[in-house]
């Protein structure tokens, strides 16, 4: 039996304290916040998530986008993906984020989906979503049938012998390239987490996906001040043109002067167990001519540690071509 409760603004601290009594903030949490519900309610219908209490945060004052005095942007946790994608300052200064959001899901889903919910969306691995199957992420120690089974859409970077599930978010890939910071209100106060440190690799605890602890409420995300003149592209490759998750995607934020790359921030989607920032590709690019030869070298560096499974080796070449093409688009833009 689940109970759904609306949290009033004056009860936010009490809601955090209530959620802090949950045994975990990860898979199997007995208290969950709900925002748009497009991930959580699906998983509850499938019995993959069975929280006893669901705390609705939509009445909290977390739905604003604000310019920061030092020049960045503050994005409230319940800002809808559609509102964020169409916000003029995002379209102008953080185009890679707008493009990534608009490449995700469908207009109807984007109207419901929120910033925090997108950060915390779950893998689309079919075994995870089927309680008749074993799955280490859903039930630790039961095994990973995907490794010898259906793994065409699963990860090639950051996998372990216990889980090869892909992080499905588009938004997070753009935020990784933009070096976003996640802000959390927990039972012991507030803290900030760089997006690179927010999601964790599966290792031998794939049930743990983020650094969140019981009671942690994501309140907002900040973006650093935009880089003037930076060129930004999000390119997503998938089985059909819309309403589909990435097989491979690339978020590119680069600066070019006199034909050379002076700064690069690169992240990949659809291929990693977390939104995949690639310092290797960035290091290869900086100081090099902004041409196809350099872009190919950067793509090779980004995928050098990729480990294919039985059905998804094609993703390695696909991701290389995706990143190379995204860099060409950015350089030409
Ligand atoms: C058919 C379909 C297609 C999709 N396609 C894509 C796609 O192509 N690309 C893509 O990126 N995404 C896609 N999505 C996923 C979609 O973007 C996510 O479902 C959505 O972003 C989740 O946001 P939400 O507000 O609905 O989250 P919810 O379902 O409300 O919550 C998700 C999780 O976040 C937690 N949570 C929510 N808010 C907070 C908070 N403030 N603090 C702490 N915890 C919180 C909840 O407890 C829950 O565990 C698709 C979804 C569907 C159903
Ligand atoms: S890949 Fe991860 S989510 Fe999928 S079955 Fe294996 S353990 Fe479960």
């Amino acid at each position: 039996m689940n109970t759904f409760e609306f949290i009033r603004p004056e009860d936010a601290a009490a809601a955090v304290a209530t959620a802090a009594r949950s045994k975990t903030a990860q898979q199997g949490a007995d208290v969950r916040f709900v925002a748009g519900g497009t991930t959580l309610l699906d998983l509850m219908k499938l019995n993959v998530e069975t929280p006893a209490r669901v705390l609705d945060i939509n009445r909290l004052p977390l739905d604003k986008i604000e310019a920061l005095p030092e020049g960045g942007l503050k994005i409230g946790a319940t800002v809808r993906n559609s509102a964020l994608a169409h916000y003029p300052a995002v379209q102008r200064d953080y185009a890679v984020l707008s493009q990534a959001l608009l490449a995700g899901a469908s207009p109807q889903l984007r109207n419901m989906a929120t910033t925090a919910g997108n950060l915390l969306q779950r893998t689309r691995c079919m075994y995870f979503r089927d309680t008749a199957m074993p799955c280490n992420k859903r039930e630790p120690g039961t095994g990973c049938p995907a490794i010898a089974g259906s793994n065409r859409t699963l990860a090639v970077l950051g996998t372990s012998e216990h889980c090869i599930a892909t992080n499905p978010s588009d938004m997070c890939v753009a935020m990784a390239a933009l070096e976003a910071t996640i802000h959390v209100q927990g039972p012991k106060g507030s803290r900030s987490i760089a997006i690179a440190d927010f999601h964790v690799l599966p290792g031998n605890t794939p049930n743990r996906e983020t650094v969140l602890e019981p009671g942690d409420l994501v309140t907002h995300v900040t973006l650093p001040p935009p880089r003037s003149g930076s060129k930004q592209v999000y390119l997503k490759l998938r089985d059909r043109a819309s309403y589909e998750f990435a097989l491979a995607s690339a978020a590119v934020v680069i600066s070019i002067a006199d034909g050379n790359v002076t700064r690069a921030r690169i992240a990949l989607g659809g291929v990693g167990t977390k939104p995949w920032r690639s310092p290797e590709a960035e290091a290869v690019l900086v100081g090099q001519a902004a041409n196809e030869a350099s872009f190919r070298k950067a793509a090779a560096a980004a995928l050098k540690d990729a480990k294919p499974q039985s059905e998804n080796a094609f993703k390695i070449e696909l991701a290389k071509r995706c990143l190379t093409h995204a860099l060409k688009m950015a350089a030409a833009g």
Side-chain angles (χ1 to χ4, degrees), residues 69-89:
E70 62 273 25
L73 211 59
K74 176 180 175 183
I75 305 160
T78 59
V79 169
R80 306 289 148 174
N81 286 179
S82 48
L84 185 57
H86 294 294
Y87 194 73

Side-chain angles (χ1 to χ4, degrees), residues 123-211:
T123 184
R124 310 305 288 195
C125 174
M126 60 185 268
Y127 303 104
F128 172 71
R129 295 170 67 86
D130 182 351
T131 55
M133 300 299 294
C135 167
N136 285 330
K137 185 182 280 298
R138 182 169 28 77
E139 284 182 59
T142 55
C144 175
I147 289 174
S150 179
N151 53 48
R152 177 177 177 273
T153 61
L154 299 186
V156 292
L157 289 165
T159 57
S160 75
E161 60 184 302
H162 303 287
C163 181
I164 57 170
T166 321
N167 182 294
S169 174
D170 292 298
M171 181 195 82
C172 292
V173 182
M175 285 190 173
L178 290 168
E179 300 181 303
T181 301
I182 319 301
H183 301 266
V184 171
Q185 179 69 45
K188 295 181 196 151
S190 56
R191 68 190 197 282
S192 305
I193 306 154
I195 191 162
D197 303 324
F198 185 77
H199 300 94
V200 296
L201 295 175
N204 56 13
T205 54
N207 52 309
R208 183 171 189 86
E209 296 177 349
T210 67
V211 295

Side-chain angles (χ1 to χ4, degrees), residues 41 52 67 91 116 129 187 227 229 240 267 294-295 319:
L41 298 187
Q91 291 181 317
R129 295 170 67 86
R227 296 267 164 174
R240 58 182 176 193
S294 310
F295 300 159

Side-chain angles (χ1 to χ4, degrees), residues 33-315:
F33 298 117
V34 68
T38 63
T39 285
L40 183 64
L41 298 187
D42 272 9
L43 293 178
M44 288 174 69
K45 286 182 212 160
L46 295 168
N47 277 326
V48 171
E49 286 273 12
T50 55
R53 291 179 78 171
V54 179
L55 308 179
D56 188 320
I57 62 170
N58 285 291
R59 292 182 186 174
L60 299 182
L62 302 174
D63 59 348
K64 303 277 185 300
I65 306 174
E66 297 163 72
L68 290 169
E70 62 273 25
L73 211 59
K74 176 180 175 183
I75 305 160
T78 59
V79 169
R80 306 289 148 174
N81 286 179
S82 48
L84 185 57
H86 294 294
Y87 194 73
V90 173
Q91 291 181 317
R92 186 186 62 230
D93 298 329
Y94 306 98
V96 67
L97 177 58
S98 178
Q99 292 167 22
L101 286 161
L102 294 176
S106 65
Q108 293 85 350
L109 281 158
R110 294 195 294 268
N111 284 341
M112 289 302 293
T114 62
T115 307
N118 199 323
L119 279 170
L120 291 162
Q121 67 172 287
R122 313 295 303 281
T123 184
R124 310 305 288 195
C125 174
M126 60 185 268
Y127 303 104
F128 172 71
R129 295 170 67 86
D130 182 351
T131 55
M133 300 299 294
C135 167
N136 285 330
K137 185 182 280 298
R138 182 169 28 77
E139 284 182 59
T142 55
C144 175
I147 289 174
S150 179
N151 53 48
R152 177 177 177 273
T153 61
L154 299 186
V156 292
L157 289 165
T159 57
S160 75
E161 60 184 302
H162 303 287
C163 181
I164 57 170
T166 321
N167 182 294
S169 174
D170 292 298
M171 181 195 82
C172 292
V173 182
M175 285 190 173
L178 290 168
E179 300 181 303
T181 301
I182 319 301
H183 301 266
V184 171
Q185 179 69 45
K188 295 181 196 151
S190 56
R191 68 190 197 282
S192 305
I193 306 154
I195 191 162
D197 303 324
F198 185 77
H199 300 94
V200 296
L201 295 175
N204 56 13
T205 54
N207 52 309
R208 183 171 189 86
E209 296 177 349
T210 67
V211 295
L212 291 186
E213 297 292 342
D216 281 344
L217 173 72
V218 175
T219 53
H220 59 283
V221 173
T222 52
L223 300 179
R227 296 267 164 174
S228 97
S230 73
K231 296 165 183 288
Q232 305 184 15
V233 166
Y234 186 75
L235 180 63
K236 176 175 179 180
L237 305 182
R238 46 191 155 168
D239 281 329
R240 58 182 176 193
S242 74
Y243 203 39
E244 185 56 278
F245 292 90
L247 288 169
S249 71
V252 164
V253 180
I254 56 170
S255 303
I256 298 173
D258 301 326
N260 290 329
V261 178
T262 55
R263 182 178 183 274
R265 296 291 182 270
I266 306 285
L268 300 175
V271 287
T273 51
K274 58 183 270 189
W276 201 263
R277 172 94 179 263
S278 179
E280 298 88 353
E282 294 167 7
V284 165
L285 274 178
V286 172
Q288 299 302 307
N291 61 26
E292 184 161 348
S294 310
F295 300 159
R296 283 184 189 275
K297 279 187 203 152
L303 275 299
K304 75 175 177 3
D305 295 327
K307 180 169 181 276
Q309 303 296 328
S310 56
E311 296 178 344
N312 69 2
F314 76 99
K315 278 190 164 195

